[in-house]
Amino acid sequence: MNKAFRSISMALDQLSDMVQRCQTVKDESFAPEDYDLFTAAGSTCIEQGDSAQVLSILVDEKNQNIVRCMGWNLLGPLVKMLLKKEDKTLPHCHAILLHLLEVCSPKELLVGLLEQVEEADSGSIAETITLLLKPLQTVLLRLGIRKASSVGMALSTLLSQVSRLPVPVTAEQEEDDVFGLCRCCSALLQFVKPFVEEIKEVVKDNNSISKDNELRVELLKFCMKSLSEPLLEVQLKDTDTLQRSPLRDFATEILIILSDIGESLPDLLSRNVLRRRKVPGFLEEEVRYPKESLACMSHLLFVDHIAVDIFPAVFSPIFVLQCNMEYIELLLSRTEENRLQKGLELYEKSLVRVEENSLPVDLLELKTFFSVPQNLVKVMTMCPDQTLRTKGLKVFQLSIDKFNTEAKYKFFRGMLKTSHHAGVEGYIIKNIKNQIDSSLKPGNSNDWFLGKHLLPLLRLVLCLPQGPETDLLQNLDRIMESLNLLRYMLIRDKEWDNETGIWTELYKIEDNYLKPMRTGLNMSKAHYEAELRSTKENRKIGLKEAKASVCSVTVGNEKLPNMTPETQIQVLQSALFTFDLIESVLARIEEIIEAKDRPQS
Amino acid sequence: MAAAPERQWSDEQLKSEEVPKKELIKFIQDSAAHSFLAEHKLLGNIKNVSKTAKKEQLIEAYNQLFQSQRFKGTEPDAPTEELKAVKISDAPKDVKTETVDEGPPKFTKSILKKGDKTNFPKKGETVSCWYTGTLEDGTVFDTNIPATAKKKKQSKPLSFKVGMGKVIRGWDEGLLTMSKGETARLEIESEWAYGKKGLPDAKIPPNAKLIFEVELVAVD
């Protein structure tokens, strides 16, 4: 019974003694040694589990000055004990905390609490935050009208820690919330509520709020930072996949808060399109509205349909596309797969709203309408993930379909001049063929894919960049599409109609394209046939290495071992088949031309 | 396309030290068509051109340029270099969707409350309005008017530049016919609203005719 009483620890003794001594000190002029003793003894007591005794010392009326000045130093050990969640000590520790929150200086408490948040190790971030959010809120509210910068500091510290938490990927992971991200996000929403309400009150009373209102600015920073981390990282699940989603709620609330503090979502969306440059304080504006955060916001609105009911349904889809191009450009210029995924989704969703053939040519004068396709080509040709490459191509074609005829023309011309990738060029040339085909249909004629503009475009298509020395295999995609296009035109556009002008241009095409192609083809075939023969002979003789490898393969600066003669034969054979393919179309074209030259029988 | 450049130096000025070779070269390079520059051997780095071209040649080229009017943009075919170094607009542009007159307007307006009949918005000016949008069956798909009058005091009307293609065409055209203070009912055919695609996000089905009650509160 009296065992507990008899085992009062030394630390508790020290604490009681010190406190008694200091009760008589006037004007709170305590010596530094007093602070140290209080902190050391108090901490030890708490760590040893004597929290009940510490509590009674701290709540004693006579000790209030001491507690007010020194109490906050106990926050460290206190929080550690609270996180341990021992039944024995928990209620007392909580009571100590509450008392300190009431009595100590808010500024000092803030420092102490944020220190605990910052120092939390990765395993206990979520626990620490969920424990300390209410205390932090209490302290901040005690600061009254001077709270803004402290609120900002707290939010920034909290978000930095939250963004260290792993982001759930599947719906199951979000439900399980093993690392606590969802819990923290929900708790953060509760945390900011009173501050948002305060701003709403200001708006209510004055019918408006100054853009520079400090608290408003801190809340804006919080929203912008949240959009960047964690929201840009998160893949939100729709209601069918996950009915209750804390992350979806978090995203929704962030957008609503933005609206509540006076930021119009349409204005945010169109910031990069409508802003004027070189406005005083311009750089500050840039910092206040980071593009990455706005990109996330746009994705939330248009792909995840978050808070879409607070976004006005009156804007023209072309304008919305124009605004979103800025964000699509940003997302597609990154290499992380989830950024690319979001960029492609946003692009697709923005394009789908626009009618076919409706985007005017002046849009192509805007930087983003040129840089986004360039980024898209990089994704289509170089992204390691096949689903992204495929999706990239799909969106690429979708974007082409939305341009009007003149814009398509200008776009194709630009792409042919700048892409330097045979696959992409081939794809563009196929599109050109489709446009010519469409233009030849009754009622569709236009100046771009018929008439005077077509021929300059064709000159870009029907050319061999290195003349007869052009590597036919490397440029296969492009060559096949060009030959197919030419064949198509010669068959479809009868000589006596000549709507496309191809027949009058033919002699030039023969000289500049078909003849060098024929020469190159013959040369390549002869060369590869010779190589094939010698490789077969070498194999017969049993030579280990073929004399001159037709090709060597280097991957990541390491040359792969030379191919076996069998493999080499296969490669050479395959090349020859390819040449046959080119040959077949070329021969057909030559046939059609010859038929024209023959007199009518 | 900029207006044709003007002569800024007289012959005397050109011949004198007042106009250095490099300045003259720069002007010609900036103003003349590519083919003109090629013919007069004035393409390339200004330093190099300055080394190879005599002042008399430059003066002659300058005069010829104005005689022949072969300025940039007067040639039909843009050369490859031009595209590669294409001056892509960094300054955001207000891109107007070309509105060709295709027949009768695809909206009707009935005035519910008269405006001041004096302040009509012009293209490019900022207008502010309260609105409610409904489908033909009466479903309200969008509004910016809060539920209570008190809350309306705390909200802001929607602001945007009218006549610039930022909103659906029915709005652009409709608002230009309204004066400050006017409340009108705009019935907009789908072609001047969201057309075949509709706006599923906002519960607007394809080919939907939209009805808006709009109050024009302010003009710029």
Side-chain angles (χ1 to χ4, degrees), chain A residues 129 133 148 151-160 162-163 184-193 195-196 214-231 250-251 253-258 261 287-290 293:
Chain A
I129 288 181
L133 276 182
V151 169
M153 189 163 64
L155 287 172
S156 166
T157 308
L158 289 163
L159 270 183
S160 296
V162 168
S163 52
C184 286
C185 287
S186 307
L188 271 174
L189 290 179
Q190 289 306 312
F191 176 76
V192 296
K193 243 201 183 81
F195 311 120
V196 177
E214 277 185 64
L215 185 59
R216 193 197 88 91
V217 170
E218 295 301 339
L219 289 172
L220 174 61
K221 272 198 234 169
F222 166 69
C223 290
M224 288 290 134
K225 193 161 176 204
S226 304
L227 284 169
S228 183
E229 287 176 318
L231 283 173
F250 183 66
E253 199 54 38
I254 292 291
L255 294 189
I256 293 179
I257 292 175
L258 277 171
I261 62 174
V287 166
R288 268 194 201 179
Y289 301 101
S293 308

Short mmCIF file of all heavy atoms in Angstrom, two decimals, chain A residues 129 133 148 151-160 162-163 184-193 195-196 214-231 250-251 253-258 261 287-290 293:
data_model
loop_
_atom_site.label_atom_id
_atom_site.label_comp_id
_atom_site.label_asym_id
_atom_site.label_seq_id
_atom_site.Cartn_x
_atom_site.Cartn_y
_atom_site.Cartn_z
N ILE A 129 1.56 13.06 -35.45
CA ILE A 129 0.73 14.13 -36.01
C ILE A 129 -0.69 14.04 -35.48
O ILE A 129 -1.26 15.03 -35.03
CB ILE A 129 0.76 14.10 -37.55
CG1 ILE A 129 2.12 14.58 -38.04
CG2 ILE A 129 -0.36 14.94 -38.13
CD1 ILE A 129 2.27 14.62 -39.54
N LEU A 133 -2.14 17.33 -33.39
CA LEU A 133 -2.89 18.32 -34.15
C LEU A 133 -3.83 19.13 -33.26
O LEU A 133 -3.91 20.36 -33.38
CB LEU A 133 -3.67 17.66 -35.28
CG LEU A 133 -2.86 17.44 -36.56
CD1 LEU A 133 -3.71 16.81 -37.65
CD2 LEU A 133 -2.30 18.75 -37.08
N ALA A 148 -1.25 34.37 -37.73
CA ALA A 148 -1.08 33.98 -39.13
C ALA A 148 0.26 33.31 -39.42
O ALA A 148 0.29 32.21 -39.97
CB ALA A 148 -1.30 35.18 -40.04
N VAL A 151 0.52 29.95 -37.81
CA VAL A 151 -0.30 28.97 -38.51
C VAL A 151 0.45 28.46 -39.74
O VAL A 151 0.52 27.26 -40.01
CB VAL A 151 -1.67 29.55 -38.93
CG1 VAL A 151 -2.40 28.63 -39.88
CG2 VAL A 151 -2.53 29.83 -37.71
N GLY A 152 1.05 29.41 -40.46
CA GLY A 152 1.80 29.05 -41.66
C GLY A 152 2.94 28.10 -41.34
O GLY A 152 3.15 27.10 -42.01
N MET A 153 3.67 28.44 -40.29
CA MET A 153 4.81 27.62 -39.90
C MET A 153 4.34 26.22 -39.53
O MET A 153 4.94 25.21 -39.95
CB MET A 153 5.49 28.27 -38.70
CG MET A 153 6.81 27.65 -38.34
SD MET A 153 7.78 28.73 -37.28
CE MET A 153 6.79 28.85 -35.82
N ALA A 154 3.28 26.14 -38.77
CA ALA A 154 2.76 24.83 -38.36
C ALA A 154 2.33 24.02 -39.58
O ALA A 154 2.70 22.84 -39.72
CB ALA A 154 1.58 25.01 -37.41
N LEU A 155 1.57 24.64 -40.46
CA LEU A 155 1.08 23.90 -41.63
C LEU A 155 2.23 23.41 -42.47
O LEU A 155 2.21 22.29 -42.98
CB LEU A 155 0.15 24.80 -42.46
CG LEU A 155 -1.22 25.04 -41.85
CD1 LEU A 155 -2.00 26.08 -42.65
CD2 LEU A 155 -2.02 23.74 -41.79
N SER A 156 3.23 24.25 -42.64
CA SER A 156 4.36 23.87 -43.47
C SER A 156 5.10 22.68 -42.87
O SER A 156 5.44 21.71 -43.57
CB SER A 156 5.27 25.09 -43.62
OG SER A 156 6.49 24.71 -44.12
N THR A 157 5.33 22.73 -41.54
CA THR A 157 6.01 21.62 -40.87
C THR A 157 5.19 20.33 -40.98
O THR A 157 5.72 19.26 -41.29
CB THR A 157 6.23 21.95 -39.39
OG1 THR A 157 6.87 23.20 -39.29
CG2 THR A 157 7.07 20.88 -38.72
N LEU A 158 3.91 20.46 -40.74
CA LEU A 158 3.03 19.28 -40.78
C LEU A 158 3.03 18.65 -42.17
O LEU A 158 3.18 17.44 -42.33
CB LEU A 158 1.61 19.67 -40.39
CG LEU A 158 1.42 20.00 -38.91
CD1 LEU A 158 0.12 20.75 -38.69
CD2 LEU A 158 1.44 18.73 -38.08
N LEU A 159 2.87 19.49 -43.20
CA LEU A 159 2.82 18.94 -44.56
C LEU A 159 4.14 18.31 -44.96
O LEU A 159 4.15 17.29 -45.66
CB LEU A 159 2.45 20.03 -45.57
CG LEU A 159 0.97 20.20 -45.84
CD1 LEU A 159 0.75 21.25 -46.90
CD2 LEU A 159 0.33 18.90 -46.27
N SER A 160 5.24 18.89 -44.51
CA SER A 160 6.53 18.30 -44.86
C SER A 160 6.63 16.89 -44.32
O SER A 160 7.12 15.99 -45.00
CB SER A 160 7.68 19.12 -44.28
OG SER A 160 7.69 20.38 -44.86
N VAL A 162 4.00 14.93 -43.47
CA VAL A 162 2.98 14.10 -44.11
C VAL A 162 3.45 13.61 -45.47
O VAL A 162 3.19 12.48 -45.87
CB VAL A 162 1.65 14.88 -44.25
CG1 VAL A 162 0.68 14.15 -45.17
CG2 VAL A 162 1.01 15.07 -42.89
N SER A 163 4.18 14.47 -46.19
CA SER A 163 4.60 14.07 -47.53
C SER A 163 5.69 13.01 -47.49
O SER A 163 6.05 12.45 -48.53
CB SER A 163 5.04 15.27 -48.36
OG SER A 163 5.98 16.01 -47.66
N CYS A 184 -3.90 11.14 -41.45
CA CYS A 184 -3.29 12.47 -41.29
C CYS A 184 -4.02 13.50 -42.14
O CYS A 184 -4.27 14.62 -41.68
CB CYS A 184 -1.82 12.43 -41.70
SG CYS A 184 -0.79 11.61 -40.49
N CYS A 185 -4.36 13.12 -43.38
CA CYS A 185 -5.05 14.08 -44.23
C CYS A 185 -6.39 14.47 -43.62
O CYS A 185 -6.75 15.65 -43.59
CB CYS A 185 -5.25 13.49 -45.63
SG CYS A 185 -3.71 13.42 -46.58
N SER A 186 -7.14 13.48 -43.16
CA SER A 186 -8.44 13.79 -42.55
C SER A 186 -8.25 14.68 -41.33
O SER A 186 -9.00 15.64 -41.12
CB SER A 186 -9.16 12.51 -42.15
OG SER A 186 -9.25 11.63 -43.24
N ALA A 187 -7.22 14.37 -40.54
CA ALA A 187 -6.98 15.16 -39.33
C ALA A 187 -6.58 16.58 -39.68
O ALA A 187 -6.96 17.54 -39.00
CB ALA A 187 -5.90 14.48 -38.49
N LEU A 188 -5.81 16.74 -40.75
CA LEU A 188 -5.40 18.07 -41.18
C LEU A 188 -6.60 18.93 -41.53
O LEU A 188 -6.63 20.13 -41.28
CB LEU A 188 -4.46 17.98 -42.39
CG LEU A 188 -2.98 17.83 -42.10
CD1 LEU A 188 -2.21 17.61 -43.39
CD2 LEU A 188 -2.44 19.06 -41.37
N LEU A 189 -7.60 18.31 -42.16
CA LEU A 189 -8.80 19.06 -42.51
C LEU A 189 -9.48 19.61 -41.26
O LEU A 189 -9.90 20.77 -41.23
CB LEU A 189 -9.77 18.18 -43.29
CG LEU A 189 -9.34 17.79 -44.71
CD1 LEU A 189 -10.39 16.88 -45.34
CD2 LEU A 189 -9.11 19.01 -45.56
N GLN A 190 -9.55 18.78 -40.23
CA GLN A 190 -10.14 19.24 -38.98
C GLN A 190 -9.32 20.36 -38.39
O GLN A 190 -9.84 21.33 -37.85
CB GLN A 190 -10.20 18.07 -37.97
CG GLN A 190 -11.22 17.01 -38.31
CD GLN A 190 -12.60 17.61 -38.50
OE1 GLN A 190 -13.08 18.39 -37.69
NE2 GLN A 190 -13.22 17.26 -39.60
N PHE A 191 -8.02 20.21 -38.52
CA PHE A 191 -7.08 21.18 -37.96
C PHE A 191 -7.29 22.57 -38.55
O PHE A 191 -7.30 23.57 -37.84
CB PHE A 191 -5.66 20.68 -38.22
CG PHE A 191 -4.58 21.61 -37.78
CD1 PHE A 191 -4.27 21.75 -36.43
CD2 PHE A 191 -3.88 22.37 -38.69
CE1 PHE A 191 -3.27 22.61 -36.01
CE2 PHE A 191 -2.88 23.24 -38.28
CZ PHE A 191 -2.57 23.36 -36.94
N VAL A 192 -7.44 22.65 -39.88
CA VAL A 192 -7.51 23.98 -40.51
C VAL A 192 -8.90 24.60 -40.43
O VAL A 192 -9.07 25.79 -40.72
CB VAL A 192 -7.08 23.97 -41.99
CG1 VAL A 192 -5.63 23.59 -42.13
CG2 VAL A 192 -7.95 23.09 -42.82
N LYS A 193 -9.89 23.80 -40.04
CA LYS A 193 -11.28 24.31 -40.06
C LYS A 193 -11.46 25.67 -39.40
O LYS A 193 -12.00 26.58 -40.04
CB LYS A 193 -12.19 23.28 -39.37
CG LYS A 193 -13.24 22.71 -40.30
CD LYS A 193 -14.39 22.13 -39.49
CE LYS A 193 -15.42 21.50 -40.38
NZ LYS A 193 -15.19 20.18 -40.87
N PHE A 195 -9.51 28.07 -38.86
CA PHE A 195 -8.82 29.16 -39.57
C PHE A 195 -9.57 29.53 -40.83
O PHE A 195 -9.71 30.70 -41.18
CB PHE A 195 -7.37 28.76 -39.86
CG PHE A 195 -6.65 28.23 -38.66
CD1 PHE A 195 -6.12 26.95 -38.65
CD2 PHE A 195 -6.54 28.99 -37.50
CE1 PHE A 195 -5.48 26.43 -37.54
CE2 PHE A 195 -5.90 28.48 -36.37
CZ PHE A 195 -5.38 27.19 -36.39
N VAL A 196 -10.09 28.50 -41.51
CA VAL A 196 -10.89 28.77 -42.71
C VAL A 196 -12.16 29.52 -42.33
O VAL A 196 -12.55 30.48 -42.99
CB VAL A 196 -11.23 27.45 -43.45
CG1 VAL A 196 -12.13 27.72 -44.65
CG2 VAL A 196 -9.98 26.74 -43.89
N GLU A 214 -2.92 38.09 -44.16
CA GLU A 214 -1.87 37.11 -43.83
C GLU A 214 -2.39 35.70 -43.62
O GLU A 214 -1.80 34.75 -44.11
CB GLU A 214 -1.13 37.55 -42.57
CG GLU A 214 -0.04 38.56 -42.85
CD GLU A 214 0.74 38.86 -41.58
OE1 GLU A 214 1.38 37.93 -41.06
OE2 GLU A 214 0.66 40.01 -41.12
N LEU A 215 -3.48 35.57 -42.90
CA LEU A 215 -3.99 34.23 -42.62
C LEU A 215 -4.46 33.58 -43.92
O LEU A 215 -4.24 32.40 -44.17
CB LEU A 215 -5.11 34.29 -41.59
CG LEU A 215 -5.67 32.95 -41.12
CD1 LEU A 215 -4.57 32.08 -40.51
CD2 LEU A 215 -6.81 33.13 -40.13
N ARG A 216 -5.10 34.39 -44.75
CA ARG A 216 -5.57 33.88 -46.04
C ARG A 216 -4.40 33.37 -46.87
O ARG A 216 -4.46 32.30 -47.49
CB ARG A 216 -6.30 34.99 -46.80
CG ARG A 216 -7.09 34.50 -47.99
CD ARG A 216 -7.43 35.66 -48.92
NE ARG A 216 -6.38 35.86 -49.89
CZ ARG A 216 -6.33 35.28 -51.09
NH1 ARG A 216 -7.29 34.47 -51.47
NH2 ARG A 216 -5.32 35.50 -51.90
N VAL A 217 -3.32 34.14 -46.87
CA VAL A 217 -2.14 33.75 -47.64
C VAL A 217 -1.57 32.43 -47.13
O VAL A 217 -1.17 31.57 -47.91
CB VAL A 217 -1.07 34.86 -47.60
CG1 VAL A 217 0.24 34.38 -48.18
CG2 VAL A 217 -1.55 36.08 -48.36
N GLU A 218 -1.55 32.27 -45.80
CA GLU A 218 -1.03 31.01 -45.25
C GLU A 218 -1.90 29.82 -45.64
O GLU A 218 -1.41 28.74 -45.94
CB GLU A 218 -0.92 31.10 -43.72
CG GLU A 218 0.09 32.12 -43.22
CD GLU A 218 1.51 31.87 -43.71
OE1 GLU A 218 1.83 30.72 -44.11
OE2 GLU A 218 2.30 32.82 -43.70
N LEU A 219 -3.21 30.04 -45.64
CA LEU A 219 -4.11 28.95 -46.04
C LEU A 219 -3.94 28.64 -47.52
O LEU A 219 -3.98 27.49 -47.94
CB LEU A 219 -5.56 29.32 -45.73
CG LEU A 219 -5.90 29.34 -44.24
CD1 LEU A 219 -7.29 29.91 -44.01
CD2 LEU A 219 -5.81 27.94 -43.65
N LEU A 220 -3.73 29.68 -48.32
CA LEU A 220 -3.48 29.49 -49.75
C LEU A 220 -2.22 28.66 -49.95
O LEU A 220 -2.20 27.70 -50.73
CB LEU A 220 -3.35 30.85 -50.44
CG LEU A 220 -2.95 30.84 -51.91
CD1 LEU A 220 -4.00 30.10 -52.74
CD2 LEU A 220 -2.81 32.27 -52.44
N LYS A 221 -1.17 29.02 -49.21
CA LYS A 221 0.09 28.27 -49.31
C LYS A 221 -0.16 26.80 -48.96
O LYS A 221 0.38 25.90 -49.60
CB LYS A 221 1.12 28.84 -48.33
CG LYS A 221 1.94 29.97 -48.86
CD LYS A 221 3.19 30.16 -48.00
CE LYS A 221 3.29 31.59 -47.53
NZ LYS A 221 4.30 31.80 -46.51
N PHE A 222 -0.95 26.59 -47.92
CA PHE A 222 -1.24 25.23 -47.48
C PHE A 222 -1.94 24.44 -48.58
O PHE A 222 -1.57 23.30 -48.88
CB PHE A 222 -2.11 25.28 -46.22
CG PHE A 222 -2.75 23.96 -45.87
CD1 PHE A 222 -1.98 22.90 -45.43
CD2 PHE A 222 -4.12 23.78 -45.99
CE1 PHE A 222 -2.56 21.68 -45.10
CE2 PHE A 222 -4.71 22.58 -45.66
CZ PHE A 222 -3.94 21.52 -45.22
N CYS A 223 -2.95 25.07 -49.19
CA CYS A 223 -3.67 24.38 -50.25
C CYS A 223 -2.75 24.07 -51.42
O CYS A 223 -2.75 22.96 -51.96
CB CYS A 223 -4.85 25.23 -50.74
SG CYS A 223 -6.16 25.37 -49.55
N MET A 224 -1.95 25.04 -51.80
CA MET A 224 -1.05 24.85 -52.94
C MET A 224 -0.05 23.74 -52.65
O MET A 224 0.24 22.89 -53.50
CB MET A 224 -0.31 26.16 -53.27
CG MET A 224 -1.21 27.21 -53.89
SD MET A 224 -1.69 26.76 -55.57
CE MET A 224 -3.42 27.11 -55.53
N LYS A 225 0.47 23.75 -51.43
CA LYS A 225 1.45 22.73 -51.09
C LYS A 225 0.81 21.34 -51.06
O LYS A 225 1.40 20.38 -51.52
CB LYS A 225 2.11 23.05 -49.75
CG LYS A 225 3.34 22.21 -49.50
CD LYS A 225 4.26 22.80 -48.44
CE LYS A 225 5.42 21.79 -48.21
NZ LYS A 225 6.05 21.89 -46.93
N SER A 226 -0.41 21.27 -50.53
CA SER A 226 -1.11 19.97 -50.49
C SER A 226 -1.34 19.42 -51.88
O SER A 226 -1.28 18.22 -52.11
CB SER A 226 -2.47 20.11 -49.81
OG SER A 226 -2.34 20.64 -48.54
N LEU A 227 -1.64 20.33 -52.80
CA LEU A 227 -1.90 19.89 -54.16
C LEU A 227 -0.66 19.25 -54.76
O LEU A 227 -0.73 18.30 -55.52
CB LEU A 227 -2.36 21.07 -55.03
CG LEU A 227 -3.80 21.52 -54.81
CD1 LEU A 227 -4.07 22.85 -55.49
CD2 LEU A 227 -4.78 20.47 -55.33
N SER A 228 0.48 19.80 -54.36
CA SER A 228 1.72 19.28 -54.89
C SER A 228 2.12 17.98 -54.16
O SER A 228 2.42 16.97 -54.77
CB SER A 228 2.77 20.37 -54.71
OG SER A 228 3.95 19.99 -55.24
N GLU A 229 2.09 18.06 -52.84
CA GLU A 229 2.40 16.87 -52.02
C GLU A 229 1.40 16.79 -50.90
O GLU A 229 1.38 17.69 -50.06
CB GLU A 229 3.79 17.00 -51.41
CG GLU A 229 4.91 16.83 -52.38
CD GLU A 229 6.26 17.06 -51.71
OE1 GLU A 229 6.36 18.02 -50.91
OE2 GLU A 229 7.17 16.30 -52.00
N PRO A 230 0.62 15.75 -50.75
CA PRO A 230 0.72 14.48 -51.45
C PRO A 230 -0.17 14.32 -52.69
O PRO A 230 -0.05 13.34 -53.41
CB PRO A 230 0.22 13.50 -50.38
CG PRO A 230 -0.81 14.27 -49.65
CD PRO A 230 -0.35 15.71 -49.65
N LEU A 231 -1.06 15.32 -52.96
CA LEU A 231 -2.12 15.03 -53.93
C LEU A 231 -1.64 14.70 -55.33
O LEU A 231 -2.28 13.92 -56.03
CB LEU A 231 -3.14 16.17 -53.96
CG LEU A 231 -4.09 16.12 -52.76
CD1 LEU A 231 -4.98 17.37 -52.73
CD2 LEU A 231 -4.97 14.88 -52.81
N PHE A 250 -10.24 14.56 -48.98
CA PHE A 250 -9.19 15.55 -48.76
C PHE A 250 -9.07 16.46 -49.98
O PHE A 250 -9.05 17.69 -49.87
CB PHE A 250 -7.86 14.85 -48.46
CG PHE A 250 -6.72 15.78 -48.16
CD1 PHE A 250 -6.73 16.55 -47.00
CD2 PHE A 250 -5.64 15.88 -49.01
CE1 PHE A 250 -5.68 17.42 -46.71
CE2 PHE A 250 -4.58 16.73 -48.73
CZ PHE A 250 -4.60 17.50 -47.57
N ALA A 251 -9.00 15.85 -51.15
CA ALA A 251 -8.87 16.62 -52.39
C ALA A 251 -10.05 17.57 -52.56
O ALA A 251 -9.88 18.76 -52.88
CB ALA A 251 -8.76 15.69 -53.59
N GLU A 253 -12.02 18.79 -50.30
CA GLU A 253 -12.03 19.85 -49.30
C GLU A 253 -10.99 20.92 -49.62
O GLU A 253 -11.25 22.11 -49.42
CB GLU A 253 -11.75 19.23 -47.92
CG GLU A 253 -12.16 20.11 -46.77
CD GLU A 253 -13.61 20.54 -46.84
OE1 GLU A 253 -14.46 19.74 -47.26
OE2 GLU A 253 -13.87 21.72 -46.51
N ILE A 254 -9.84 20.51 -50.13
CA ILE A 254 -8.81 21.49 -50.48
C ILE A 254 -9.35 22.46 -51.53
O ILE A 254 -9.16 23.68 -51.44
CB ILE A 254 -7.53 20.79 -51.01
CG1 ILE A 254 -6.84 20.02 -49.90
CG2 ILE A 254 -6.56 21.80 -51.61
CD1 ILE A 254 -6.21 20.88 -48.83
N LEU A 255 -10.05 21.93 -52.54
CA LEU A 255 -10.59 22.82 -53.57
C LEU A 255 -11.67 23.72 -53.00
O LEU A 255 -11.78 24.89 -53.37
CB LEU A 255 -11.12 22.00 -54.74
CG LEU A 255 -10.07 21.21 -55.55
CD1 LEU A 255 -10.69 20.61 -56.81
CD2 LEU A 255 -8.89 22.06 -55.92
N ILE A 256 -12.46 23.16 -52.08
CA ILE A 256 -13.51 23.99 -51.47
C ILE A 256 -12.89 25.09 -50.61
O ILE A 256 -13.34 26.24 -50.63
CB ILE A 256 -14.46 23.12 -50.63
CG1 ILE A 256 -15.24 22.18 -51.55
CG2 ILE A 256 -15.42 23.98 -49.81
CD1 ILE A 256 -16.19 21.25 -50.85
N ILE A 257 -11.81 24.74 -49.89
CA ILE A 257 -11.14 25.76 -49.08
C ILE A 257 -10.62 26.88 -49.98
O ILE A 257 -10.77 28.06 -49.67
CB ILE A 257 -9.99 25.15 -48.27
CG1 ILE A 257 -10.53 24.21 -47.19
CG2 ILE A 257 -9.15 26.25 -47.62
CD1 ILE A 257 -9.46 23.46 -46.42
N LEU A 258 -10.02 26.50 -51.09
CA LEU A 258 -9.53 27.53 -52.02
C LEU A 258 -10.65 28.49 -52.39
O LEU A 258 -10.50 29.70 -52.38
CB LEU A 258 -8.98 26.87 -53.29
CG LEU A 258 -7.55 26.36 -53.21
CD1 LEU A 258 -7.20 25.55 -54.45
CD2 LEU A 258 -6.58 27.51 -53.05
N ILE A 261 -11.67 30.77 -49.43
CA ILE A 261 -10.78 31.88 -49.07
C ILE A 261 -10.67 32.90 -50.20
O ILE A 261 -9.82 33.77 -50.18
CB ILE A 261 -9.38 31.41 -48.65
CG1 ILE A 261 -8.66 30.69 -49.79
CG2 ILE A 261 -9.44 30.53 -47.40
CD1 ILE A 261 -7.21 30.33 -49.47
N VAL A 287 5.34 32.43 -57.05
CA VAL A 287 5.60 31.57 -55.91
C VAL A 287 4.30 31.19 -55.22
O VAL A 287 4.14 30.08 -54.76
CB VAL A 287 6.56 32.30 -54.94
CG1 VAL A 287 6.58 31.61 -53.60
CG2 VAL A 287 7.95 32.37 -55.53
N ARG A 288 3.38 32.13 -55.21
CA ARG A 288 2.11 31.86 -54.52
C ARG A 288 1.28 30.81 -55.24
O ARG A 288 0.45 30.16 -54.62
CB ARG A 288 1.26 33.13 -54.45
CG ARG A 288 1.48 33.91 -53.22
CD ARG A 288 0.39 34.94 -53.06
NE ARG A 288 0.82 35.99 -52.18
CZ ARG A 288 0.09 37.04 -51.88
NH1 ARG A 288 -1.11 37.19 -52.41
NH2 ARG A 288 0.54 37.96 -51.05
N TYR A 289 1.44 30.72 -56.55
CA TYR A 289 0.61 29.79 -57.33
C TYR A 289 1.50 28.85 -58.15
O TYR A 289 1.58 28.98 -59.36
CB TYR A 289 -0.31 30.58 -58.28
CG TYR A 289 -1.23 31.53 -57.57
CD1 TYR A 289 -0.95 32.89 -57.51
CD2 TYR A 289 -2.39 31.08 -56.96
CE1 TYR A 289 -1.79 33.77 -56.86
CE2 TYR A 289 -3.24 31.96 -56.31
CZ TYR A 289 -2.94 33.30 -56.25
OH TYR A 289 -3.78 34.17 -55.61
N PRO A 290 2.16 27.92 -57.49
CA PRO A 290 3.09 27.05 -58.23
C PRO A 290 2.36 26.27 -59.33
O PRO A 290 1.27 25.75 -59.11
CB PRO A 290 3.61 26.09 -57.16
CG PRO A 290 3.18 26.62 -55.86
CD PRO A 290 2.04 27.54 -56.09
N SER A 293 1.16 22.72 -58.63
CA SER A 293 -0.06 22.62 -57.82
C SER A 293 -1.28 22.85 -58.68
O SER A 293 -2.30 22.17 -58.54
CB SER A 293 -0.02 23.63 -56.69
OG SER A 293 1.18 23.52 -55.96
#
